[in-house]
Amino acid sequence: MRNRKMKDALFYWTMLGSLAFILAVFSVILIVVFSKGFPALRWSLIFQLPKSGYYLGQDGGVANAILGTLYLSSGAVLVSIILALPAAIALQKDYTSPRFAQFTRLILDVLWGTPSIVYGAIGFAIMVYLGIRASLLGGIFALSLVMLPLMIRSMDEVIRIVPEELRETPLALGSTRFEMVRAVLLKQAFPGILTAVLLALGRGIGDAASVLFTAGFTDNLPGSLMDPVASLPLAVFFQIGSPLKEVQQRAYASAMILLFLILVINIVSRILEKRFTRHTIR
Amino acid sequence: MPHIAIRNLNVQCGDHQILKDVNCDIPDGCIVAIVGPSGCGKTTLLKSLNRLLDLNEDAKIQGQVLLDGSDIYGESSDVLSLRKKVGFMAQRPYPLPMSIQDNVSFGPKIHGLPDTSHGMVERYLRLAGLWEEVKDRLDSPAAKLSIGQQQRLALARTLAVEPEVILADEPTSALDPISVKIVEHQFRLLKSQYTIVLVTHILRQARRLADHVIFMYSGELVEQGPAESFFAAPKDERTRAYLSGEIS
Ligand SMILES: Nc1ncnc2c1ncn2[C@@H]1O[C@H](COP(=O)(O)OP(=O)(O)OP(=O)(O)O)[C@@H](O)[C@H]1O
Ligand SMILES: [Mg+2]
């Protein structure tokens, strides 16, 4: 009896301990970013383009990178959703043999862990072959490659856990598979699908390596899909390497802006999620 | 001609023979009850009648199921229209993730039936004995209903596609005694227009409802016949043992 209670208490404290440890480590990271970045944070940083000599400590801001990151990641998320959702549904046993699906999942899981610089390099090679230079289009393409495996696999997992009997319900009424997918799988898995999109976005939005060769970097805003585009991760990367303290601080301030963007995106999608889960079967 | 005729039906999952050479005729306009101990293959038999068994990729199905004389497993058979004709209510009811009203009109809509109106929804909810409880919240999520209400919603949803045959897998298992009475009463009313096959664990329910009884035991169809003679004078030793409660 006492032994069982002790085990329970031990388990409880172990859980709490790991959580506290994780929170502590990440708090330190956040505190470093904030304390280093805060002195450099001002409206001009957010709303102005870099002026000449910005990277040597002159005036200006990273509006080019903020907008560039929004363009790149929203484009890549859009492309990824359009490809990932059908692909994730195709992996379900209603459409593919479980053995083939298992094999594909393995491949995707491996791809998910591939360093994003590899996607950047491959994307770049393809662009050279097609005669496209570093551009918004190229960046979106490379970033989609980074996001896709993670997005497909997380969508796949949340669609897979929809109970068998729930899938059977519309089919038993004589629905086609497509009608079943629409009426049941997508609705039931919606919160999970949203999470999958967010996970992939989180993986992509902060990624510097994939856009390094493919999107390029510029102090201006892109006028078309074929123009090079700046991004926040690269802005952080270029500034953090500077020997000047001011410029380094701006790197951390830029990272804060990136964190803030991710926060806003998450909050908005949580609100969206509430509106779409009224009918979910638990 | 019987409405449904099952001929030498064998179902195998891996090396497990779930149904062994089942033969039987299901007549029109009456209630057929399938009884038997847990795991004997009742659900499997029921699912084979509208090809829901096809969804199980390791199930190997051999033999014939003739609906109005044509084999539902034959080349020219169309699964979607078969399932419209032969409705199925699962052992555990699952509402579709949508409103109560949309649950009922889902079937008519996908099959392009002419009437998908509010009146149609009301008619079938009344038929399933659920109308009074939900008439003020037709737009609220079906997921919020109690299990018993969900079971009656499943009945309304099945009836709404205007099937000829209703397959019901323990349709009253989640209901309180009063709802059981309502649903049993509905089945009695429905039987003149439909062929009803229901699986039940409860022998007394079979006695109350069935015109014809099928007794399954470990994948075999052991005995079948009109309800009176089945209960009064069972022929097989195993049927007698089951009826007297020695095997359950
Ligand atoms: N997908 C499957 N794969 C392998 N075996 C299965 C599968 N589905 C059912 N079985 C087996 O087939 C047998 C019959 O199952 P079935 O569900 O038809 O029984 P049942 O008579 O409906 O039982 P219950 O009264 O408990 O619902 C059981 O032994 C079960 O374990
Ligand atoms: Mg069963």
Side-chain angles (χ1 to χ4, degrees):
Chain A
M1 191 66 207
R2 252 194 74 215
N3 193 10
R4 285 174 56 208
K5 283 197 174 156
M6 268 171 58
K7 271 188 194 160
D8 189 57
L10 187 69
F11 180 59
Y12 176 74
W13 287 108
T14 314
M15 284 187 321
L16 236 57
S18 341
L19 192 61
F21 176 72
I22 292 163
L23 283 178
V25 170
F26 285 96
S27 304
V28 168
I29 294 177
L30 282 181
I31 289 168
V32 168
V33 171
F34 274 66
S35 65
K36 291 200 173 184
F38 202 75
L41 196 64
R42 46 185 61 90
W43 291 118
S44 60
L45 189 75
I46 300 172
F47 290 109
Q48 286 183 10
L49 295 177
K51 301 207 169 113
S52 68
Y54 171 82
Y55 295 97
L56 299 172
Q58 298 298 309
D59 279 351
V62 288
N64 60 329
I66 297 173
L67 280 172
T69 278
L70 287 178
Y71 291 161
L72 280 167
S73 51
S74 51
V77 158
L78 210 67
V79 170
S80 301
I81 291 175
I82 290 170
L83 291 172
L85 197 54
I89 294 167
L91 286 177
Q92 306 307 307
K93 76 182 192 64
D94 311 272
Y95 287 96
T96 327
S97 82
R99 281 186 60 183
F100 176 74
Q102 257 349 69
F103 175 71
T104 313
R105 287 182 180 118
L106 180 68
I107 304 274
L108 286 169
D109 286 346
V110 173
L111 288 176
W112 174 4
T114 308
S116 54
I117 189 80
V118 174
Y119 292 120
I122 292 170
F124 182 66
I126 294 174
M127 285 161 61
V128 167
Y129 179 76
L130 296 176
I132 305 172
R133 63 194 184 108
S135 61
L136 179 54
L137 186 68
I140 288 175
F141 173 64
L143 213 49
S144 303
L145 292 181
V146 174
M147 289 181 180
L148 269 170
L150 174 57
M151 200 188 277
I152 297 174
R153 280 293 284 128
S154 0
M155 285 180 175
D156 169 38
E157 286 298 321
V158 299
I159 296 174
R160 206 141 64 109
I161 58 169
V162 174
E164 187 59 38
E165 294 92 335
L166 195 52
R167 295 168 185 231
E168 264 181 28
T169 301
L171 293 172
L173 291 166
S175 81
T176 60
R177 287 180 297 184
F178 173 65
E179 285 157 348
M180 181 275 290
V181 167
R182 235 183 30 177
V184 171
L185 292 191
L186 293 185
K187 280 198 174 168
Q188 191 67 14
F190 182 82
I193 290 174
L194 198 64
T195 306
V197 172
L198 288 179
L199 279 176
L201 178 68
R203 164 102 159 92
I205 199 171
D207 191 66
S210 61
V211 290
L212 184 59
F213 309 128
T214 54
F217 198 85
T218 164
D219 286 349
N220 299 309
L221 294 175
S224 79
L225 276 174
M226 305 314 278
D227 289 344
V229 62
S231 54
L232 273 173
L234 285 180
V236 173
F237 177 61
F238 293 143
Q239 295 176 107
I240 217 162
S242 162
L244 301 171
K245 187 158 174 273
E246 276 175 290
V247 179
Q248 276 183 21
Q249 283 180 340
R250 286 181 189 165
Y252 286 101
S254 308
M256 281 170 71
I257 296 169
L258 187 57
L259 285 172
F260 182 73
L261 280 183
I262 298 172
L263 181 71
V264 170
I265 291 167
N266 271 278
I267 290 172
V268 169
S269 44
R270 290 284 139 79
I271 295 168
L272 274 182
E273 180 183 331
K274 283 237 167 63
R275 293 191 45 184
F276 283 99
T277 51
R278 218 164 84 87
H279 290 298
T280 311
I281 311 289
R282 276 168 238 282
Chain B
M1 186 167 69
H3 200 170
I4 301 174
I6 303 169
R7 295 283 172 265
N8 307 323
L9 187 69
N10 282 282
V11 174
Q12 200 166 355
C13 255
D15 10 315
H16 181 49
Q17 183 90 21
I18 302 177
L19 292 182
K20 298 167 193 160
D21 218 19
V22 172
N23 279 284
C24 80
D25 288 347
I26 291 172
D28 217 345
C30 70
I31 297 181
V32 179
I34 304 177
V35 297
S38 182
C40 68
K42 303 184 294 294
T43 300
T44 308
L45 180 59
L46 211 57
K47 280 189 173 178
S48 71
L49 301 184
N50 78 341
R51 292 185 56 178
L52 267 188
L53 215 50
D54 294 16
L55 301 181
N56 183 345
E57 59 278 350
D58 5 273
K60 274 207 229 35
I61 306 158
Q62 284 169 329
Q64 287 184 316
V65 175
L66 306 170
L67 179 72
D68 295 322
S70 65
D71 186 9
I72 65 169
Y73 289 102
E75 295 272 296
S76 60
S77 151
D78 173 44
V79 184
L80 300 189
S81 55
L82 168 72
R83 290 184 186 149
K84 185 198 166 299
K85 259 196 230 173
V86 183
F88 176 85
M89 288 172 62
Q91 198 158 357
R92 210 215 119 167
Y94 270 93
L96 297 168
M98 46 184 86
S99 72
I100 294 171
Q101 171 158 278
D102 290 345
N103 261 269
V104 180
S105 60
F106 177 79
K109 276 182 188 149
I110 57 171
H111 290 294
L113 300 187
D115 188 4
T116 55
S117 68
H118 184 79
M120 180 278 302
V121 171
E122 173 174 348
R123 195 162 71 244
Y124 287 109
L125 284 173
R126 276 189 192 282
L127 214 51
L130 186 61
W131 173 251
E132 289 302 325
E133 287 154 72
V134 301
K135 62 182 177 192
D136 299 323
R137 47 171 174 151
L138 292 174
D139 278 327
S140 67
K144 295 253 162 69
L145 296 173
S146 74
I147 301 280
Q149 291 171 327
Q150 291 180 6
Q151 207 154 37
R152 282 174 285 155
L153 181 67
L155 178 59
R157 191 172 57 198
T158 305
L159 293 175
V161 298
E162 301 175 1
E164 293 171 10
V165 181
I166 299 170
L167 309 172
D169 199 352
E170 306 195 21
T172 60
S173 59
L175 299 183
D176 60 284
I178 295 170
S179 315
V180 170
K181 275 215 175 100
I182 298 173
V183 170
E184 286 187 359
H185 179 67
Q186 295 310 330
F187 274 119
R188 254 183 240 114
L189 293 181
L190 294 169
K191 79 175 178 184
S192 59
Q193 295 156 51
Y194 300 90
T195 302
I196 299 175
V197 185
L198 66 88
V199 166
T200 178
H201 255 123
I202 314 157
L203 272 177
R204 271 191 294 171
Q205 183 171 54
R207 281 181 205 270
R208 282 196 298 266
L209 281 181
D211 302 294
H212 194 92
V213 184
I214 293 171
F215 173 59
M216 305 274 304
Y217 188 74
S218 79
E220 275 177 68
L221 192 157
V222 172
E223 186 164 348
Q224 57 173 320
E228 303 93 68
S229 57
F230 179 88
F231 287 114
K235 295 185 198 75
D236 195 281
E237 199 50 50
R238 288 166 291 181
T239 318
R240 244 170 278 158
Y242 182 69
L243 289 178
S244 65
E246 283 161 40
I247 48 177
S248 57

